[in-house]
Amino acid sequence: MSAIFSRRVDELIGRDGDCTRVTALLDERRFVTLSGAPGVGKTRLALEIGASLAGGLRDGARFIDFTPLTSLDLVPLTIANALGIDHRADHSITDAILTWTRRKQMLVIFDNCDRVRATIASLASRIIAAAPDVRVLVTSRTPLVEDSSECVYHVPPLSLPPVGEPLDAAGALGYGAVRLFVTAAREAHPAFTLDDGNLDTVVRICRDLEGIPLAICLAAPRLKTLMLEPLSMALHHRLNDRSGSNAPATTKRQTSRHLIDWSYDLLSRSDRCVFRRLAVFAGGASQSAAVAVCRGDDLSSEDTAAALHSLNEKALLVALDDRAERHYALLDATHRFALEKLEEADERFAIERRHAHYFAGHAERLERLWETMPTLTWYDAVDADLDNFRAAHDWSMRSVREAAQGARICAALRDYYRRGAAANEWRRRIDRAIDALEHEQNDDLLARLWLAMAVVGSGSNLFALQRRGARMALEYAERIGNDMIAASALVELAGGEFMNPDFDFRRALERAERIFAERGKGRMLARAHFTHARSLYSLTKDWARAADLYAPALEYSRETGDEHLVAVSMINLAEATFLGGHGDPQGAIRLCEAALPYCRRSSNWRLAATGLMNIATYRLALGDLPGARASLSQSLTIAGEHGLNQVFETSGFCGGYLAALSGDHTLALMLMHHGENFYCCDNETAIEPTERWLRDETLALARAFLSEEAIADLLAQSLPEAEFRAALVALCAHEDAEVRA
């Protein structure tokens, strides 16, 4: 999630008036685009506004950068991931965004939207229409769409002293351009001070740079090697000499470009080399990645690292220290320039190839760490380089000879696809990789790709896809004698067949468990035990044996730091505890409550909502109606905040039993219809055991008051969606014994 305060924000100079005006426009119009020339400070202004407004908005502010985007199709997914929206892979991501934002009070900042203007204009307009308390702030060099509902604010350059106005040093600092130059100059030359002796020269530099912040920040660091007057003369000559340009005059749009060009010409050979090679990275690079890709026969690792430091000092790239390892990123304006220089040097293919090979290897390094690294840390590590994995894959797929690199990335990141939000995107990428390798003799890589496809099916509840991927992976694995892939494929196959009574899940999973145990693969063994237990209670109702297998799954997942599997094992073990033997609702409640912190830490809101709904069920079994209402209300709140329509639909079972216990059997059966209808429409998903218990209890109560014909008639009726949700909310708020629709 891209929270606004995760961005390091230095002091903003000379923009107080702009902040005030844009804030007022956001209050009035709610959809504002900051437009202006490259380097004028649109992103920095947006960050400042976000930081100032976040504390006063219930749901804060979020910042989403579209600079590294490789496809228009990724716009909704990028937004959903940044906002932390949980959505089903087979449902519209845009609809999930609109549902999620509907009840939010927040500011969303879409940065660097030049390449996705029309898509952002449409989506932002729909968000504003659907969510009355959401504001959208966009940055783009030009307005998004002329006839859109946006309000355009043209970001001006920093203020400059008027020509001919009497001025002293103290007064000059009241102008934004002068103050920014002095601040940047002091970073380069700590002894620098503005006085009446150098005032005219500083003002002349700021005027030549037209008050553009990026140009000022590129010029000031040169005071490390130049005196002020020579710097002024060099800048004036560069910006006013038209011999190198076909343009009749320098415009504000050209000023930043000329300063970048000038700064590049002054770089050492190694600095220029590293600068242009950084253009192949999407969304920045860790220092180790930048060194590995940018070095070469002409440049040592030490020289590359030194060049990164030098470029950062010269403001040609920014350093981000909010991660485990320092990351470097080019600004949008400098990135475009660097890519041009890479083309001119005829290095683009070679460096992009090196980038693809590096990230294929990096993905496989992460794959090896999956067994021992805590899952949330592992996901963060993938997320940190996700844009680079995408870029490397896309480049590889454009060349038959390099397709294996993209395939390696798809195969190695397979456990990332257990997060449903990633499934749709990577399913398409895996499909392309399999097609590209169809005629290659690379059974090992194809086995791993098909296993990745099975995990995509698992992560998105597309069980037919999970079964197909698992069977293909198993076929290739057995052909080449790879027991580990075979064992993983058997687990995925059992997961996809968990509703099939004819599948011999016991034989398949015991084989997988034996292989994982022999190889010391605790996390994989935990998943095998979990799948075994799930199959047992889904098909045989052997709650005691299921509990015996959930216990080691929980133990191994704790030992290996698999927080997601810890949470889901606890919640499923709670079901087995509740339904097995004489039943233990109190023990089930304790297990679910222990699982909730894991769900929240991993932002697994679907699982959190399910756990709370199960707690409500166990409280109903204990006769604790007020406690059940409170837990169900919390579950519905999470479902509403995160657009979890499935949770709302299946809550009809719990709400139905609550209504029945409160005496309203008509409402109870109509609510339960919603839950049953969900499973009828999605015949790949089985009714969970706890929901089956709720259904049976609700029907038993209804039969004491209604005929079978009346029950069947009510179960065939459904409330309109709005009335269904309103009835659930009313049930949660009701204090009396009697509830009516």
Side-chain angles (χ1 to χ4, degrees), residues 279-523:
V280 300
F281 289 95
S286 66
Q287 177 157 322
S288 56
V291 169
V293 173
C294 296
R295 72 185 177 191
D297 294 338
D298 56 344
L299 198 64
S300 70
S301 297
E302 293 75 14
D303 288 341
T304 304
L308 290 169
H309 179 73
S310 173
L311 292 167
N312 180 44
E313 284 193 329
K314 295 176 175 67
L316 283 166
L317 75 164
V318 294
L320 304 173
D321 292 318
D322 56 348
R323 309 185 189 188
E325 182 182 6
R326 171 171 276 206
H327 269 60
Y328 292 96
L330 294 168
L331 300 172
D332 186 45
T334 53
H335 182 270
R336 293 168 190 247
F337 179 86
L339 197 56
E340 291 176 18
K341 293 299 179 183
L342 192 66
E343 292 269 18
E344 289 175 12
D346 197 25
E347 290 183 328
R348 184 166 181 174
F349 177 85
I351 302 303
E352 284 183 332
R353 182 176 185 275
R354 196 180 298 168
H355 175 271
H357 281 253
Y358 173 83
F359 279 100
H362 183 46
E364 289 172 344
R365 285 190 291 275
L366 288 173
E367 180 184 23
R368 291 191 290 272
L369 290 172
W370 166 254
E371 178 67 24
T372 55
M373 184 182 284
T375 50
L376 299 186
T377 305
W378 192 86
Y379 287 141
D380 287 344
V382 175
D383 282 333
D385 280 311
L386 188 58
D387 291 315
N388 281 306
F389 288 131
R390 287 168 170 159
H393 174 271
D394 291 346
W395 180 86
S396 299
M397 288 298 108
R398 291 195 289 269
S399 168
V400 174
R401 292 183 178 180
E402 298 295 340
Q405 308 313 316
R408 289 169 63 198
I409 292 170
C410 289
L413 298 182
R414 69 174 179 272
D415 287 293
Y416 186 74
Y417 317 144
R418 298 193 188 281
R419 305 165 91 184
N424 260 347
E425 174 194 353
W426 287 92
R427 178 182 179 178
R428 293 193 295 270
R429 294 182 187 279
I430 295 167
D431 269 332
R432 288 180 64 193
I434 290 172
D435 288 345
L437 294 183
E438 187 176 8
H439 302 296
E440 298 283 331
Q441 297 298 314
N442 198 335
D443 287 355
D444 179 74
L445 190 48
L446 282 166
R448 294 170 60 223
L449 282 170
W450 280 112
L451 181 58
M453 187 67 86
V455 174
V456 165
S458 172
S460 53
N461 288 338
L462 299 174
F463 300 115
L465 180 65
Q466 184 179 10
R467 292 192 294 269
R468 177 170 176 255
R471 288 194 180 100
M472 293 298 295
L474 185 59
E475 179 182 327
Y476 278 107
E478 291 186 334
R479 185 184 302 171
I480 60 177
N482 190 318
D483 283 349
M484 286 298 296
I485 294 178
S488 297
L490 286 168
V491 173
E492 295 302 329
L493 183 57
E497 295 280 15
F498 78 103
M499 290 177 60
N500 181 5
D502 297 325
F503 179 74
D504 191 351
F505 67 87
R506 190 186 305 272
R507 179 169 174 266
L509 289 168
E510 285 179 353
R511 177 187 168 191
E513 288 164 350
R514 184 174 63 254
I515 292 170
F516 292 145
E518 289 172 354
R519 303 291 181 86
K521 300 295 184 181
R523 182 168 294 178

Side-chain angles (χ1 to χ4, degrees), residues 103-121:
R103 299 183 183 181
K104 295 296 182 182
Q105 183 193 59
M106 66 186 305
L107 170 67
V108 182
I109 299 172
F110 296 146
D111 191 42
N112 288 313
C113 297
D114 299 88
R115 289 179 292 176
V116 293
R117 293 205 312 273
T119 305
I120 290 295

